[in-house]
Amino acid sequence: MSKVLQNGDYPFKKVYDYILHRIERKEWKENDKLPSVRQLADEMNLHRLTVLKAYQLLKQHDKVYVKEKVGYFVKSNETNNLEYLDNPIVSAYVQKNHLSEIHQSPVFYNFSQALIDPNLLPNHYFSDYVKKVFDLYPKVLSTYSTVQGDIELRETLTQYFINQYKTHFNADDLLITSGSQQAIHIIAQTFIKPRDIVLIERPSYSAAIDTFKSNGAQIVTVDIKKEGYDLTQVEMYMKQYKPRLFYLNPTFHNPTGYTVSVGQRKKLVELAEQYRCLLIEDDAYHDIYFEHSPPPPIYTFDTAGTVIYIRSFCKYISPGLRIAAVICQSPLMKSLITIKSLVDNGSPLLNQKVFLLYFSSLRLQQHLEKIRIALQIRKEIMEEELTATDWQWISPKGGLNLWVELPDRIPTELLLTKSIEKSISFVPGQVFDPFKQLSPWIRLSYSYANEKQLRIGVKRFVEVAQSLSK
Amino acid sequence: MSKVLQNGDYPFKKVYDYILHRIERKEWKENDKLPSVRQLADEMNLHRLTVLKAYQLLKQHDKVYVKEKVGYFVKSNETNNLEYLDNPIVSAYVQKNHLSEIHQSPVFYNFSQALIDPNLLPNHYFSDYVKKVFDLYPKVLSTYSTVQGDIELRETLTQYFINQYKTHFNADDLLITSGSQQAIHIIAQTFIKPRDIVLIERPSYSAAIDTFKSNGAQIVTVDIKKEGYDLTQVEMYMKQYKPRLFYLNPTFHNPTGYTVSVGQRKKLVELAEQYRCLLIEDDAYHDIYFEHSPPPPIYTFDTAGTVIYIRSFCKYISPGLRIAAVICQSPLMKSLITIKSLVDNGSPLLNQKVFLLYFSSLRLQQHLEKIRIALQIRKEIMEEELTATDWQWISPKGGLNLWVELPDRIPTELLLTKSIEKSISFVPGQVFDPFKQLSPWIRLSYSYANEKQLRIGVKRFVEVAQSLSK
């Protein structure tokens, strides 16, 4: 009988997952001897009891067996096979989510998750806000949200955007989604049919590439560089291919960190209107700037209704809530709402009300300041540790990642395998490329690991890379 | 500038929506005089200040204008048009969600929402559980869930199902989704490509019909009656059409309330295996029985992995959380998880932890008992008020609805319009029919309105219907 795991069990769960994952990836094969409890505890800097608990659960779950006075061994078990089994009944039409698979590897030096270290988020205050939600809205858990999203929240966010950018719209032009991934999914469902052409930056957010492909889109790529796009090329593509939409992330771009100029933003809107191509502006990193706030979003230059704007607040407000806002003009919005009603019939009301309270608080602004400072420090630590190499990168002015070009002599795929063995993760550039090339590039996130893990982890990572380039 | 609405504003928002909706539906046309504040306050049994607030906001939003000492009038405004405007940029591929549109009408005698009255749910206790979540999991808001769902929650639910039905599976065979609508959406995304054939009951859950259609499925219907299905017909269709899947709701079926026998359940599994057709079993109403618990789910008879089981807990545990479990065997599950990663990358962690705590509590069982009794009383009140008519229905043994057959002389569509004018809603049978016929049938939910509203509302509804059949 499985017992309910308590909060204090988290480190033990991590060890459990760490070992299980290596077994499933066949890094330890059937009947291989696992590290001893002492060895693993030392290596992971954990208490031996924590490691022992993990081993015991693995034994209980039939993944390992014990030889008295010798140690733990991998048990033979056919269901350890992670490969896709043939579905005996029906085959599935499934496009892989490449980024999601890399994130499955639990490691200690995590440079693959473009997420903010939970310790940097104001967890204690969240708790207060949630309690307050129940005082204000006693029936919040027994009520569904409307499909479009809680009206209070939409009005608050609308007012926020109007104040920030002096644009004119109202709460009807805003849709609440369960994070930006869902927003991208809904937009793809609404506007893409198989063989439609879609413009995507190269490189681009991996899950967006996978989403558009899974809707049958044909991808045409637009290079993004430090200076932005080649707008002559963009115009030529719009004329030639008549794409339905152009999905872009022009502010602290993921993975490159580049930011596109105001001049280019205005020109893009003109082109979109002229060639009847929707612009899908994904702006998840907007508030994560170091020195200066970035240029206004592309949608603020939109008049003809060519832009659909996605602003996720997940990264730095609260990943556990999953709240994003989608802003667009009325005819487009009605279609999105209909699709939203089919994908989940409305985001949970509790999350929206908790988010509303926190978003409306003074504490948010203060905390955002602290996060910016903390992230800038972490970026600088990562960059310091990389100075010893001849690797190339442009230092970003915001966001969560470094986009680093490795010299040719370092083989990226082998680097990934060897790094994971050393409990370090990163994302190879080809994951962000629809053509699956870009292999000298890698994305290193500095936002998740703490300062100590950054120093040790990046040092080790450089050592691993150098050991491969002999 | 829009002010942030507080909890006490809810009645005024209802009035606002009520009036705006009628204006948009053109029940009041441009320059028509609206009811006076006093009239509306009397009719809705609200304070005049509440109604006045609503009128003032409508005026502020340019929907109405005032003639001093005369009253409020509908303002001429092109954006009042609720019809789909031509999208000047890009057209959308959007299948309407018919049920969702009917629910947009705010009324006082609500017999269209198959939801449980929020006053019947243990709101006060929910609050305690949420607070406890933060004590146990302080970082819950700064952490993402895994794509498949929180392991603690999956293990708890797995243990629950194993205890209930003595079936063998583990937490890897269970996926957490944000409600059953999302589960249906993910299943459709995974297994349906355009022109695939899908079996659906007739009548069936409307949003499921719309979902499969929006994935390009061709629908073949299987009649469901009090005795269940005609299995000879089902076998013939499976042989002839080779459908990918059969979506069914065999326990307290929505909208009919029928429950399919154990014998039929076993036979369906045999047919599914023989003809390689997935069974998608939607079991949202399982625990809402009045006298006896229903037969075991179809999936408990599954051995070859032909069944995907959806159990939503939204209706009676907490709509505001949106938690459902999907259970199926391993090859199918891996595909579902990949699609889940693309549709939202994992349900919010907060909701899963709150649900976990409440689901594991003793209080849940006690409350479920109370809900069953309360719903049975409400069903009986509705049935009492309908006895005066010659309308036909089978009294359900569980669930939230009556499925009523009206005599031919009553025109259903006109009945809907007239009912909404009297602030009464229901769902016409054709919404549940892929062929959009079934017009003498209507679904009346007894679960949302309170006992007093049931008595008054059903009486009025009968009067409206009788007035139309002269």
Side-chain angles (χ1 to χ4, degrees), chain A residues 25-42:
Chain A
R25 285 172 63 105
K26 306 229 180 288
E27 287 174 34
W28 292 307
K29 301 178 182 48
E30 291 169 18
N31 302 316
D32 276 357
K33 186 177 181 310
L34 292 167
S36 71
V37 171
R38 175 191 294 205
Q39 261 180 294
L40 208 55
D42 285 347

Side-chain angles (χ1 to χ4, degrees), chain A residues 1-7 10 13 61 81-97 100 115-116 118-119 121 123 126-127 130-131 134-144 147 150-152 155-156 159 178 181-182 185 189-193 196 207 210-211 214 244 273 276-278 304-306 314-315 318-322 330-332 334-335 338-339 341-351 353-354, chain B residues 1-7 10 13 61 81-97 100 115-116 118-119 121 123 126-127 130-131 134-144 147 151-152 155-156 159 178 181-182 185 189-193 196 207 210-211 214 244 276-278 304-306 314-315 317-322 330-332 334-335 338-339 341-351 353-354 356:
Chain A
M1 187 177 309
S2 70
K3 68 176 185 65
V4 173
L5 296 173
Q6 297 304 312
N7 187 35
Y10 275 6
K13 275 298 290 176
H61 290 172
N81 192 338
L82 250 194
E83 286 145 18
Y84 277 57
L85 301 173
D86 277 332
N87 177 356
I89 300 297
V90 160
S91 54
Y93 306 110
V94 171
Q95 175 71 27
K96 284 174 66 145
N97 183 333
S100 189
L115 297 178
I116 294 180
N119 293 306
L121 297 176
N123 299 293
F126 281 146
S127 157
V130 175
K131 293 169 190 174
F134 282 89
D135 296 333
L136 288 177
Y137 312 101
K139 299 202 186 120
V140 66
L141 282 195
S142 38
T143 318
Y144 284 110
V147 175
D150 178 64
I151 181 69
E152 259 196 285
E155 283 176 348
T156 300
Q159 203 52 53
S178 299
Q181 182 57 39
Q182 193 190 56
H185 174 66
Q189 288 285 103
T190 311
F191 295 108
I192 303 295
K193 71 182 195 299
D196 277 349
D210 292 333
T211 298
S214 83
R244 271 221 174 281
E273 192 181 343
R276 300 170 73 80
C277 173
L278 281 177
T306 62
C314 291
K315 303 277 178 186
S318 56
L321 288 180
R322 281 206 171 283
S330 179
L332 302 175
K334 290 204 187 301
S335 304
T338 297
I339 295 297
S341 76
L342 291 176
V343 311
D344 72 2
N345 216 17
S347 294
L349 188 61
L350 173 66
N351 308 46
K353 289 301 194 188
V354 173
Chain B
M1 188 180 307
S2 69
K3 68 177 184 64
V4 173
L5 296 173
Q6 298 302 312
N7 188 31
Y10 276 4
K13 276 298 291 176
H61 290 175
N81 193 338
L82 248 193
E83 285 146 18
Y84 277 56
L85 301 173
D86 276 332
N87 177 355
I89 300 296
V90 158
S91 52
Y93 308 110
V94 172
Q95 175 71 28
K96 286 173 66 147
N97 183 334
S100 190
L115 298 177
I116 293 181
N119 292 305
L121 298 174
N123 299 293
F126 281 146
S127 158
V130 175
K131 294 169 191 175
F134 282 89
D135 296 334
L136 288 177
Y137 311 101
K139 298 203 184 116
V140 67
L141 281 196
S142 38
T143 318
Y144 283 110
V147 175
I151 182 69
E152 259 195 286
E155 283 175 347
T156 300
Q159 202 52 56
S178 299
Q181 183 58 38
Q182 193 190 56
H185 173 67
Q189 289 284 105
T190 311
F191 296 108
I192 303 296
K193 71 180 195 302
D196 276 350
D210 292 332
T211 299
S214 82
R244 274 220 172 283
R276 302 169 73 79
C277 173
L278 283 176
T306 61
C314 293
K315 303 277 176 184
I317 296 191
S318 58
L321 287 180
R322 279 205 172 285
S330 178
L332 303 175
K334 290 203 187 302
S335 303
T338 298
I339 295 297
S341 76
L342 291 177
V343 312
D344 73 359
N345 216 17
S347 295
L349 188 61
L350 173 67
N351 308 45
K353 290 301 195 188
V354 174
L356 169 63

